[in-house]
Amino acid sequence: MPDFSPWHDNSFTYGSTYGSTYGSPNNAPAPPQRISEDPEFHSLRRAQRGFGVRASLLSVGGFLLYVLLSHSVPGLMNQRLAGALTLGLALGLGQFVVMGVTAWCYVRHMRTRVDPLARGLSSRLHQQQAGSHGDAGQTVRPGSGGYRTW
């Protein structure tokens, strides 16, 4: 099981307090490397945040534009397009399309860019844990995730 940081970010750490340090003369545990200091972790966070900010700005901006147009230019929004369909109603229904496309792009982005980085980081963490816990006879169960329980 990974060691948890006492700090507020709750990021778990690499390494163990026992393991490769048994051969050292003073038997002092090596300081664990925090996962939040890993460059691969930073690229994972950048990939998540970068898309999230752009998608949020696009979605919220489109909705804000719709609300502002509805308030500022009611004559334009009440123009009939076909039958009882007005421009305002069409733009309002278009918000559902924008949200659907945004959700689809988010899922695609996560599958292609973020998930491979997360899987690589997770497998490297599990390999390091298995190597450091190998002396104690413990095994790391795949899928355990190492998450803190409440």
Side-chain angles (χ1 to χ4, degrees), residues 29-79:
Q33 176 188 358
R34 294 174 57 142
I35 193 168
S36 60
E37 296 170 356
D38 193 312
E40 191 174 350
F41 179 77
H42 288 289
S43 65
L44 175 69
R45 296 290 299 253
R46 270 193 307 274
Q48 283 179 315
R49 284 184 183 154
F51 182 82
V53 167
R54 287 191 308 262
S56 297
L57 287 176
L58 176 70
S59 299
V60 171
F63 182 72
L64 185 63
L65 179 66
Y66 170 72
V67 170
L68 290 175
L69 282 174
S70 295
H71 180 274
S72 302
V73 196
L76 176 69
M77 299 297 272
N78 286 330
Q79 285 186 356

Side-chain angles (χ1 to χ4, degrees), residues 68-142:
L68 290 175
L69 282 174
S70 295
H71 180 274
S72 302
V73 196
L76 176 69
M77 299 297 272
N78 286 330
Q79 285 186 356
R80 295 207 181 274
L81 296 178
L85 182 66
T86 63
L87 180 62
L89 183 59
L91 290 176
L93 292 173
Q95 293 297 313
F96 290 106
V97 174
V98 168
M99 290 299 151
V101 169
T102 303
W104 176 76
C105 289
Y106 176 79
V107 168
R108 191 184 71 186
H109 173 78
M110 293 301 273
R111 283 185 183 157
T112 58
R113 300 238 170 93
V114 176
D115 287 348
L117 289 172
R119 278 193 298 271
L121 189 61
S122 176
S123 67
R124 197 170 87 219
L125 177 66
H126 286 300
Q127 287 173 353
Q128 288 180 354
Q129 286 176 349
S132 67
H133 291 307
D135 297 334
Q138 297 176 354
T139 59
V140 176
R141 291 189 334 258

